Amino acid sequence: MGTIAERVAVMQFSPIRRFNKYAFEEEAKGKTVYHLNIGQPDIHTPECFKEAIDNFDEKVIAYAESQGLNELRDAMVEYMKRDFNMEYDRDDIIITNGGSEALILAFTALLNPGDEALIAEPFYTNYNTFCNEVSGKLVPLTTSAEDGYDWAKRDLIEAAITPKTKAICALSPGNPTGRVLTMEDMKLIGEIAKEHDLWIISDEVYREFVYDGKEAHSFGQLPEIADRVVIVDSVSKRWSACGARIGALVCKNKEFMDGILKLCQGRLCVPTLEQVGAAALYRMPKSYYDEAKAEYEARRDAAYEELSQIPGIVCQKPAGAFYMTAKLPVDDIENFLMFMLKEFDENGETAMFAPAPGFYATKGLGGNEMRIAYVLTPDKMRRACELIKKAVAAYNAK
Ligand SMILES: Cc1ncc(COP(=O)(O)O)c(C=O)c1O
């Protein structure tokens, strides 16, 4: 029978979901668990999503075109122009099953086995899976809370480039650090990519979630590198529509887009009804994000304030997205998480987070770090972080 392929055998289970079964066991016994492990916002999906689907009156839910519905692609073109002054056409967009499929397709189209993609670590853990699927290699640019998770540095990036390097992955606003690239950072990364003939895979699924009055930017605003920039977009976070599974690849490079279309024709298409709903989301006014942003900022502030009270904690106030990575004064983050789930509670309540080692490519890093998603109301965030604070004290007193 033989064994399964090496590239799959070496993969990890996602540290974001791997511990859910223990939480569900405890919940079945009556414990309340605050889930800070997954970026699943509780903000309501705008009603226009469901209304658009209700108004769908075709008699057959037919296959859509592999590149996606024109209605959705046109709504995206308008949104990018209106909110970011970006010049894209319908043909520069291919709709995907979430940002996740967009990333798998981008790696498939760009990396031969053994080719390398640079990425700042800690990074969104599923990049490991996306890259392993095509036998590519992620080369980490190591950053830390102490240096503000800053990776937009010529020396750091150039030192990691080898003849095998094909792409730079840029996550901004970043998961799990909340690091936001400035326009100057983007220009520098663009210059380096041009000089070394590299692609830029720009994951902008959190594009609008930039706080403290700062402006959101996109690599799509740099026409001088438009032929090498691949933007990953998604409705999941921006409109709190994670279950819709609608994302997109946006790129002006015809050869790349032809390659992506071939891959997409093989997988036929993306669900038709969700595309109809997503088109309505892209037509939402900008004021929608301003409200959502204010809410996330309040959640971030509540979480940060509460966590900062833990003696010995090291963390950076995130500038964007809705995650925070923190170094805790514990010996082993997975043991600590299991303690929180199985042994600890206060008034029948505990919290869970994602352990950070899976967010690093370098072995041994993140051993006492957690990632939290600040996706619950400020009160719940405060309570969940208070529980983490109390659990640290109880764990270390054991
Ligand atoms: C940085 C980043 N990219 C991509 C995704 C994929 O999102 P989706 O497939 O729901 O669009 C996520 C999900 O959490 C993410 O955090």
Side-chain angles (χ1 to χ4, degrees):
M1 187 164 69
T3 52
I4 63 167
E6 180 66 16
R7 65 175 177 276
V8 176
V10 299
M11 284 179 189
Q12 58 170 2
F13 284 98
S14 167
I16 299 169
R17 291 172 177 251
R18 186 156 58 95
F19 294 88
N20 270 343
K21 64 175 182 220
Y22 304 108
F24 298 152
E25 275 168 25
E26 295 303 313
E27 281 165 346
K29 289 185 218 157
K31 214 188 243 188
T32 298
V33 181
Y34 291 90
H35 286 261
L36 308 186
N37 52 310
I38 188 159
Q40 167 61 68
D42 66 352
I43 289 182
H44 290 183
T45 311
E47 276 302 311
C48 65
F49 179 85
K50 282 179 266 172
E51 282 163 14
I53 294 176
D54 284 345
N55 291 334
F56 181 83
D57 66 356
E58 302 287 329
K59 296 287 177 252
V60 176
I61 299 179
Y63 286 128
E65 285 293 292
S66 299
Q67 56 270 42
L69 295 186
N70 286 344
E71 179 191 350
L72 172 54
R73 295 195 297 157
D74 290 348
M76 283 189 70
V77 167
E78 279 164 37
Y79 149 84
M80 289 189 287
K81 176 73 189 163
R82 184 196 67 187
D83 290 3
F84 293 93
N85 203 24
M86 292 196 266
E87 301 286 350
Y88 282 98
D89 298 327
R90 180 199 282 176
D91 290 341
D92 302 327
I93 299 172
I94 291 183
I95 304 302
T96 58
N97 288 286
S100 306
E101 192 197 31
L103 285 162
I104 295 167
L105 291 168
F107 281 127
T108 308
L110 296 180
L111 302 189
N112 287 314
D115 279 350
E116 298 172 357
L118 308 186
I119 189 165
E121 69 176 355
F123 54 84
Y124 175 50
T125 179
N126 288 329
Y127 272 72
N128 284 311
T129 307
F130 305 147
C131 199
N132 276 346
E133 277 182 45
V134 299
S135 304
K137 187 175 168 213
L138 286 178
V139 174
L141 309 171
T142 305
T143 68
S144 66
E146 288 85 346
D147 63 17
Y149 299 112
D150 184 15
W151 63 276
K153 300 173 186 166
R154 185 175 277 279
D155 293 359
L156 182 70
I157 298 172
E158 287 192 327
I161 294 175
T162 75
K164 289 250 170 220
T165 312
K166 288 291 282 292
I168 301 174
C169 301
L171 286 70
S172 179
N175 174 5
T177 62
R179 170 85 168 91
V180 175
L181 293 173
T182 62
M183 202 54 200
E184 283 62 44
D185 292 336
M186 287 183 176
K187 282 186 181 153
L188 173 70
I189 294 162
E191 255 171 51
I192 298 171
K194 212 166 168 180
E195 283 162 28
H196 295 269
D197 198 17
L198 304 176
W199 293 84
I200 295 173
I201 301 175
S202 179
D203 184 336
E204 302 185 9
V205 306
Y206 299 97
R207 190 183 292 125
E208 280 80 4
F209 297 112
V210 174
Y211 309 125
D212 305 315
K214 302 237 167 68
E215 214 185 318
H217 294 294
S218 167
F219 273 97
Q221 293 167 315
L222 297 172
E224 63 274 21
I225 49 165
D227 57 336
R228 60 183 69 246
V229 169
V230 174
I231 297 177
V232 173
D233 202 47
S234 169
V235 304
S236 290
K237 316 291 173 170
R238 189 177 306 126
W239 291 291
S240 203
C242 297
R245 309 310 304 131
I246 299 291
L249 275 172
V250 183
C251 179
K252 284 203 170 288
N253 186 303
K254 174 120 180 37
E255 189 190 357
F256 173 80
M257 290 304 261
D258 282 350
I260 295 293
L261 185 56
K262 286 189 233 172
L263 293 167
C264 287
Q265 287 178 345
R267 65 83 163 109
L268 304 186
C269 65
V270 168
T272 302
L273 290 180
E274 277 74 3
Q275 292 194 67
V276 169
L281 294 178
Y282 276 101
R283 289 193 218 101
M284 289 281 292
K286 205 164 186 260
S287 52
Y288 171 83
Y289 327 122
D290 294 336
E291 268 175 48
K293 239 165 64 171
E295 176 61 24
Y296 282 118
E297 207 163 333
R299 294 170 178 203
R300 173 198 66 168
D301 292 348
Y304 183 75
E305 241 174 72
E306 201 61 44
L307 286 180
S308 299
Q309 292 174 22
I310 300 177
I313 194 168
V314 182
C315 65
Q316 264 275 328
K317 195 176 203 174
F322 38 65
Y323 305 94
M324 190 168 7
T325 302
K327 217 175 266 177
L328 292 178
V330 296
D331 59 351
D332 181 291
I333 199 73
E334 287 195 11
N335 286 345
F336 174 60
L337 175 59
M338 289 305 285
F339 169 79
M340 279 206 79
L341 288 173
K342 290 189 125 2
E343 294 178 48
F344 175 84
D345 76 279
E346 189 186 68
N347 301 329
E349 294 186 323
T350 191
M352 81 180 288
F353 50 78
F359 292 75
Y360 286 88
T362 305
K363 289 257 163 315
L365 290 184
N368 59 354
E369 290 175 37
M370 66 167 183
R371 183 202 76 163
I372 62 159
Y374 44 95
V375 287
L376 306 179
T377 57
D379 281 358
K380 287 185 183 160
M381 285 312 307
R382 232 175 246 294
R383 174 64 180 148
C385 293
E386 183 191 23
L387 287 164
I388 294 173
K389 179 176 73 184
K390 290 188 168 166
V392 167
Y395 178 80
N396 286 331
K398 268 207 313 175

